[in-house]
Amino acid sequence: MALSSGYMAGVPERLAAGRTLSFEYYPPAGAAARRGALLTATRLARRHPDFVSVTYGAGGGDRGRTREMVAHIAFGHVSGRHRCPVVPHLTCVGHTRAEIRGLLADHMEVGVGDLLALAGDPRPGEPPGDFRYAADLVEFVRTETDFSVGVAAFPEVHPDSPDRVADRRHLAAKLEMADFGITQFFFDSRDYRLMVDELSDLGCTTPVLAGVMPVTNPESVKRFAKMNGTRTPKELWNRLEAADADERLRIACDQAASMIADLVEMDVPGIHLYSLNVPEAVEGVLDRLGEGYFSTAGRPLGTGL
Ligand code: FAD
């Protein structure tokens, strides 16, 4: 029998209501950093995200931290009166079916109703587990829960894909099984447009939110970009690397806000901001955009869908 999550209005309903705004957090190691991350989530709740997501084991991090941070936010301990769905990321490589079932039950217990289902990258020496591709996890989550399910999309093509055609074919098939997609970060909005057109040519119309990264830490972001196959514009990096911290924040927010404005022109269904747990970056971007970009703008606290 499928487990029931006691579903509150989740990501699909919010997407149906208009362009969404969401923030991604990661659960850091160490008590002080964890407290800092929760304070960031509390502070940014005032910006009325439609949902927030929490990464899972990215970079080899302790996976239990995701569950803890998700539980804190889901219980509203950190978001005060503005309660919004918290979307845990879940990667399947290296996990058994029983482990995934246990993780899903944990999330359900704290009222989670939406999940981002990912393959993840195998950790050195880790046994393969029961799942290979994200699509296998989506299928399992569908049979085990009534969660809405999101998946990852790579505008510049996933680095393991043998070619663009195969990448788009697998992506379209995966999105067909899902409720929504979220992209990897990218720095040229034309890559997003091209991906959406290619998916549409394959008959896939599942909404794909654009993942936007304000580059507050050029060194780390370049490392992530190398792993993801994301191109990093030389001119932007030259400016970021030459700047002091204040100037870097300004450049990062200007660049992200300008790209969001382009994406909104393309009628993007939602913007997912990779916060890297830096509240000033998210606030800087939103302040530059002003009102009218997202369906949440102006919605009073606590009156979420
Ligand atoms: P898949 O969809 O399985 O695709 C992986 C590769 O397999 C692609 O090349 C695809 O074309 C190919 N493929 C898919 N199906 C088939 C098939 N049937 N036959 C042959 N080839 C196939 N990682 C973390 O560890 N933790 C996180 O929290 C996390 N969050 C992320 C959030 C977002 C929004 C994004 C974009 C990525 C995130 N990642 C995270 C990274 C992600 O786990 C890795 O990039 C991983 O390598 C691919 O995951 P996927 O879900 O796209 O995999």
Side-chain angles (χ1 to χ4, degrees):
M1 188 183 70
L3 299 165
S4 171
S5 62
Y7 197 69
M8 75 160 158
V11 178
E13 286 85 348
R14 287 160 192 265
L15 278 163
R19 185 173 300 112
T20 58
L21 171 67
S22 50
F23 309 145
E24 178 178 300
Y25 302 122
Y26 69 91
R34 269 206 293 284
R35 265 197 309 279
L38 292 174
L39 286 173
T40 294
T42 305
R43 176 166 158 179
L44 290 180
R46 292 188 210 117
R47 298 304 182 122
H48 307 175
D50 285 282
F51 68 93
V52 298
S53 80
V54 181
T55 63
Y56 179 75
D62 172 6
R63 291 165 166 180
R65 294 201 297 265
T66 302
R67 195 175 45 195
E68 192 184 305
M69 188 164 179
V70 165
H72 270 284
I73 300 177
F75 277 132
H77 288 171
V78 298
S79 53
R81 285 178 300 139
H82 180 71
R83 293 197 55 201
C84 68
V86 51
V87 179
H89 297 203
L90 181 55
T91 61
C92 60
V93 295
H95 275 309
T96 62
R97 275 185 172 68
E99 285 167 349
I100 295 284
R101 190 175 281 127
L103 288 161
L104 294 174
D106 285 346
H107 288 320
M108 213 170 297
E109 212 172 277
V110 297
V112 160
D114 311 84
L115 186 92
L116 192 65
L118 304 143
D121 297 303
R123 297 195 276 193
E126 190 172 46
D130 290 337
F131 302 88
R132 178 155 185 198
Y133 297 115
D136 305 331
L137 178 60
V138 177
E139 207 176 352
F140 187 70
V141 173
R142 291 284 191 218
T143 59
E144 294 282 316
T145 76
D146 60 0
F147 287 170
S148 90
V149 183
V151 293
F154 290 74
E156 296 175 72
V157 173
H158 188 277
D160 293 347
S161 294
D163 55 55
R164 195 170 184 98
V165 173
D167 182 277
R168 292 317 189 225
R169 196 160 35 83
H170 291 308
L171 178 58
K174 181 173 71 168
L175 282 164
E176 285 297 338
M177 300 164 68
D179 296 290
F180 62 97
I182 302 181
T183 74
Q184 190 51 271
F185 62 86
F186 53 91
F187 296 100
D188 186 337
S189 51
R190 288 170 299 186
D191 288 317
Y192 175 84
R193 171 81 276 162
L194 185 58
M195 180 194 70
V196 170
D197 288 347
E198 288 166 340
L199 289 169
S200 159
D201 289 347
L202 292 169
C204 175
T205 54
T206 307
V208 181
L209 318 186
V212 174
M213 171 82 84
V215 187
T216 48
N217 186 337
E219 206 178 307
S220 309
V221 175
K222 195 163 203 162
R223 209 174 50 245
F224 300 149
K226 208 165 171 189
M227 293 189 307
N228 304 331
T230 300
R231 297 190 315 279
T232 50
K234 204 167 174 18
E235 194 267 338
L236 174 63
W237 252 256
N238 285 345
R239 283 197 295 134
L240 288 164
E241 281 164 356
D244 64 18
D246 287 348
E247 176 68 357
R248 188 177 299 145
L249 181 64
R250 194 186 62 71
I251 297 169
C253 295
D254 284 350
Q255 188 276 333
S258 151
M259 204 166 77
I260 291 171
D262 281 356
L263 290 162
V264 165
E265 283 285 305
M266 295 173 185
D267 211 17
V268 67
I271 295 291
H272 187 69
L273 278 170
Y274 288 105
S275 79
L276 294 182
N277 296 357
V278 178
E280 295 83 0
V282 171
E283 289 166 349
V285 172
L286 296 178
D287 288 347
R288 279 160 176 75
L289 290 170
E291 302 263 308
Y293 277 84
F294 304 102
S295 63
T296 43
R299 185 185 297 163
L301 280 179
T303 63
L305 284 173

